Amino acid sequence: GQNIDQPTEMTATEGAIVQINCTYQTSGFNGLFWYQQHAGEAPTFLSYNVLDGLEEKGRFSSFLSRSKGYSYLLLKELQMKDSASYLCAVRVDRGSTLGRLYFGRGTQLTVWP
Amino acid sequence: DVKVTQSSRYLVKRTGEKVFLECVQDMDHENMFWYRQDPGLGLRLIYFSYDVKMKEKGDIPEGYSVSREKKERFSLILESASTNQTSMYLCASRPRQGRDEQYFGPGTRLTVT
């Protein structure tokens, strides 16, 4: 199996910056996704990294280091609506299995006023 | 916009019943996936399919089967529902090639009593 670790819970205040880390050990790595999931809803796509470095998209940025098996999601100028679970998912392409994702258990972020 | 729909948002079934969960996508995606999501365990892959009539076991296939007779439709079947199959079930799809993320349906919350 794959080993994907992320913190279970994090808290932060409105307007602050929070960094959610994800580490992984896998073979056939072909990219890392971050999803946001509000309670009772389906996950929605936030970002995708396949090369080392930082990808920025508005208030959200995602970083990947393939050599270290490490990624983080950075959320700036936090808003109450950012309270959600954030899922790290590793894409594994191996043999005939293309596009399969392995998910971490999710990090529940609570933003306080 | 990609649309993935699931037949029910909420479902209550009795132990021993045969249960069908339907998933339909409208973007001609080859790959389709069924997950279940439980608190503290994250998203776990039950079955996936890379094309019509093809299926592959995921990490927790026991007690489930699937059917993919048409490209747009992927059905999850619980042959004899049990209380430990009470969960949130999520369907997803993506194209076989490319960097696209998996697109999720809204989920079906199944309760087996």
Side-chain angles (χ1 to χ4, degrees), chain A:
Chain A
Q2 317 301 311
N3 212 5
I4 302 167
D5 286 316
Q6 51 181 130
T8 303
E9 292 178 328
M10 297 184 73
T11 60
T13 53
E14 231 177 343
I17 299 172
V18 71
Q19 178 175 311
I20 303 174
N21 296 326
C22 173
T23 60
Y24 64 90
Q25 291 176 306
T26 185
S27 56
F29 176 86
N30 196 17
L32 189 143
F33 292 84
W34 285 96
Y35 283 83
Q36 180 191 60
Q37 186 178 26
H38 286 101
E41 297 182 11
T44 55
F45 169 76
L46 287 178
S47 69
Y48 172 68
N49 296 69
V50 65
L51 301 176
D52 286 357
L54 189 68
E55 295 274 346
E56 296 186 78
K57 195 186 290 186
R59 293 190 298 116
F60 292 4
S61 304
S62 57
F63 171 83
L64 176 67
S65 168
R66 292 178 67 137
S67 61
K68 295 182 179 176
Y70 168 68
S71 172
Y72 67 73
L73 180 69
L74 193 71
L75 293 77
K76 303 176 189 174
E77 300 168 18
L78 281 173
Q79 302 174 10
M80 299 291 289
K81 67 179 182 179
D82 297 329
S83 291
S85 183
Y86 291 86
L87 311 179
C88 171
V90 169
R91 173 174 165 169
V92 172
D93 290 344
R94 204 166 42 220
S96 62
T97 62
L98 292 178
R100 178 174 170 176
L101 295 184
Y102 290 85
F103 284 84
R105 296 186 178 190
T107 298
Q108 183 63 46
L109 173 67
T110 302
V111 179
W112 299 103

Side-chain angles (χ1 to χ4, degrees), chain B residues 45-59:
Chain B
L45 184 64
I46 305 170
Y47 266 97
F48 56 105
S49 170
Y50 289 115
D51 212 333
V52 177
K53 298 195 184 295
M54 294 179 67
K55 60 184 179 183
E56 296 277 346
K57 292 180 180 179
D59 298 322

Side-chain angles (χ1 to χ4, degrees), chain A residues 96-98, chain B residues 29-34 47-57 65-71 73-75 96:
Chain A
S96 62
T97 62
L98 292 178
Chain B
H29 288 168
E30 290 84 2
N31 296 3
M32 295 187 76
F33 307 83
W34 272 109
Y47 266 97
F48 56 105
S49 170
Y50 289 115
D51 212 333
V52 177
K53 298 195 184 295
M54 294 179 67
K55 60 184 179 183
E56 296 277 346
K57 292 180 180 179
S65 62
V66 290
S67 173
R68 185 108 181 256
E69 295 298 316
K70 294 185 177 181
K71 193 174 187 179
R73 187 180 297 268
F74 192 34
S75 303
R96 178 179 295 142

